[in-house]
Amino acid sequence: MEERDHKKLGPELELFYIDPVVGKGLPMFLPKGATVKRELERFVVEEELKRGYLHVHTPDLARLELYEKSGHYPHYKDSMYAPIEIDEDKYMLRPMTCPHHFQLYLQKPHSYRELPMRIAELAQLYRYEQSGELMGLQRVRTFCLADAHIICASEEQAADEVGGALDLIEYMVGVFGLKLGEDYRYRLSLGDRANNEKYYKNDAAWEKSEDLLRQVMQRRGCDFEEAKNEAAFYGPKIDIQMKNANGKEDTAFTVQYDFCMPDRFDLTYVGEDGTKKRAFVVHRSSIGAIERTMALLIEKYGGAFPLWLAPVQARVLPIGEAHQALSRVVLEKLREAGIRAELDDSNESLGKKIRGAKTEKVPYLLVIGDTEVAAEQATLEGRNGKVGALSVSDIIQKLKLEITSRG
């Protein structure tokens, strides 16, 4: 599957590259790659807002004290960057957003009527990965995570939110054309009661929370594997596992049940009886790290992204000099309609222009020659063959429908 390997296709299609001067594991997104990344991020925000998520923005670093409070330091110390000394205080580049979101929740008291509260963020995170583990966009040292933390009023509400998070994940991967059992599988990741160094010590809570997630999966009626010693330090999780073009499996997305942080951060809400009650927490990532998802999709599509994700959605190809004036008008109309379009006004033959566009995986080509100029049309050609001569307005309508439906 080397021809689909994102590490090969990424630079070839001018999506991203790793610059040795910038550093290992720090991908540089070229304009085309930045476009794909931006469209994925828009998809996340748009879909999550529809489902009642509250999108926030928190800083990329925080005082070391925050991660000591959460317990991530020292649990994640080996994957965190060294503290930065500022004004006789220590700050850390964040490896996760949960402590930030919990502090944000604590900004003011909350009523049971406000719960579940779904706090979401497209967050830039920083983790020290061993050099030998780094791989293209799949394993990097900085990435954007489609992250969220759901504050719940009861275990039953938390179980419902786990189900809702899985519904969201299945919807989004369905838009990508990924199928359960074929492209991904579920894993219930459990803790190890004997490993007090890796896992928060509370045997009763582990038993209860693992059973809660197991019941959620059983109610869904889908196959899942149970894996010991794969949980987060603060609770069990449901992982969505996917294979890359080289056959290596990674956790792409995850939903976690957290019985530890509500205590550490004293997360409470005011119940119906007017008293303070302990909240419950679900961590989840809808499409995981944007970079890792991009790697999976580059390989899934072989670089030929669906129209809504394609960096260049259409290319206008004038056959000769006499056809360039109309081609420029068509280009302007496409761009005004929000379609990412380019014009190939080089002196190359039409055949060479078409071959070049197909090599670059451009979904639609608009060919303009004498016939098209006379009729003020363009001949539309897609990946599945020639569509035919159409007016520019009809072409725009067709492309916009395909883009907005994310077909």
Side-chain angles (χ1 to χ4, degrees):
M1 294 290 284
E2 188 184 343
E3 70 279 0
R4 284 181 174 263
D5 191 326
H6 82 280
K7 299 188 298 298
K8 176 176 177 286
L9 282 175
E12 280 180 6
L13 296 174
E14 297 184 343
L15 298 171
F16 74 93
Y17 77 106
I18 307 296
D19 193 312
V21 177
V22 174
K24 293 178 181 177
L26 305 173
M28 300 279 278
F29 288 94
L30 297 158
K32 289 180 180 178
T35 298
V36 176
K37 187 172 182 289
R38 187 168 58 247
E39 286 301 320
L40 288 171
E41 290 169 356
R42 281 178 179 163
F43 179 36
V44 169
V45 175
E46 178 185 307
E47 193 55 40
E48 290 182 354
L49 289 176
K50 282 182 193 172
R51 296 179 188 235
Y53 283 84
L54 307 171
H55 266 264
V56 301
H57 184 78
T58 58
D60 287 11
L61 78 169
R63 295 175 64 229
L64 176 58
E65 181 185 327
L66 179 66
Y67 304 106
E68 289 173 334
K69 180 179 180 179
S70 68
H72 287 100
Y73 196 91
H75 275 287
Y76 275 84
K77 184 179 178 181
D78 291 344
S79 63
M80 295 174 78
Y81 284 97
I84 304 164
E85 298 267 354
I86 304 173
D87 298 333
E88 299 181 355
D89 207 347
K90 290 181 178 177
Y91 287 77
M92 303 292 294
L93 285 169
R94 66 176 173 189
M96 68 286 296
T97 58
C98 20
H100 293 70
H101 289 180
F102 299 147
Q103 284 299 130
L104 189 146
Y105 178 81
L106 293 172
Q107 180 225 353
K108 65 176 185 177
H110 297 282
S111 159
Y112 71 94
R113 292 188 181 89
E114 297 173 71
L115 306 185
M117 182 180 289
R118 306 179 186 101
I119 303 168
E121 182 171 8
L122 287 169
Q124 197 67 30
L125 305 182
Y126 305 85
R127 294 185 187 173
Y128 172 67
E129 296 280 358
Q130 300 289 334
S131 293
E133 293 290 316
L134 298 173
M135 188 178 68
L137 294 181
Q138 262 176 321
R139 200 161 285 276
V140 292
R141 287 176 169 166
T142 181
F143 55 93
C144 177
L145 187 68
D147 206 6
H149 299 91
I150 308 172
I151 316 296
C152 304
S154 65
E155 287 179 341
E156 293 75 22
Q157 195 175 76
D160 288 344
E161 289 301 311
V162 168
L166 293 174
D167 289 343
L168 171 62
I169 289 169
E170 288 187 4
Y171 168 75
M172 296 182 93
V173 297
V175 170
F176 297 142
L178 303 173
K179 294 184 175 67
L180 179 60
E182 188 177 314
D183 297 296
Y184 68 96
R185 67 181 184 89
Y186 280 120
R187 182 181 77 187
L188 176 56
S189 296
L190 310 172
D192 179 356
R193 310 291 180 273
N195 191 343
N196 296 335
E197 192 174 322
K198 183 175 179 181
Y199 298 113
Y200 186 68
K201 181 66 177 170
N202 187 333
D203 289 0
W206 277 103
E207 291 295 334
K208 199 169 187 179
S209 56
E210 287 177 352
D211 195 51
L212 182 141
L213 293 188
R214 189 177 289 113
Q215 287 180 37
V216 169
M217 294 306 294
Q218 288 168 346
R219 282 197 296 272
R220 295 182 77 81
C222 56
D223 293 333
F224 65 96
E225 172 205 16
E226 295 197 12
K228 288 192 174 180
N229 210 28
E230 292 289 344
F233 81 85
Y234 47 75
K237 57 197 177 100
I238 298 167
D239 291 322
I240 288 82
Q241 301 294 110
M242 292 193 191
K243 283 185 179 176
N244 61 32
N246 299 315
K248 185 178 183 297
E249 188 177 85
D250 267 312
T251 299
F253 324 122
T254 191
V255 182
Q256 304 168 339
Y257 183 78
D258 180 354
F259 55 79
C260 168
M261 295 300 167
D263 289 342
R264 282 186 177 271
F265 281 83
D266 192 21
L267 301 178
T268 62
Y269 66 95
V270 178
E272 285 186 74
D273 61 2
T275 64
K276 276 189 178 183
K277 299 185 185 300
R278 175 68 71 228
F280 298 81
V281 169
V282 172
H283 303 234
R284 56 101 282 204
S285 178
S286 53
I287 64 166
I290 302 295
E291 288 77 0
R292 184 172 289 182
T293 298
M294 275 185 68
L296 289 164
L297 295 180
I298 290 168
E299 295 180 351
K300 167 74 176 174
Y301 303 132
F305 292 103
L307 187 63
W308 70 277
L309 269 181
V312 178
Q313 294 169 322
R315 185 169 289 170
V316 184
L317 307 179
I319 294 174
E321 187 75 32
H323 315 122
Q324 289 198 10
L326 177 60
S327 295
R328 289 192 181 93
V329 171
V330 170
L331 175 70
E332 195 61 36
K333 286 182 177 179
L334 290 168
R335 287 180 170 173
E336 283 176 1
I339 295 166
R340 295 187 290 274
E342 290 181 348
L343 170 66
D344 184 348
D345 57 0
S346 66
N347 293 323
E348 301 290 355
S349 68
L350 178 63
K352 195 162 185 181
K353 288 179 181 180
I354 290 173
R355 283 194 298 276
K358 288 186 175 178
T359 299
E360 293 176 40
K361 318 283 188 185
V362 178
Y364 282 104
L365 311 179
L366 283 73
V367 177
I368 297 177
D370 290 341
T371 306
E372 288 80 10
V373 168
E376 293 190 344
Q377 292 181 326
T379 295
L380 186 67
E381 184 175 334
R383 287 181 181 139
N384 298 322
K386 192 174 285 187
V387 178
L390 298 168
S391 68
V392 179
S393 60
D394 284 348
I395 290 172
I396 288 172
Q397 186 177 0
K398 173 181 168 53
L399 269 58
K400 289 210 74 164
L401 182 63
E402 191 175 332
I403 290 165
T404 53
S405 68
R406 293 193 170 101

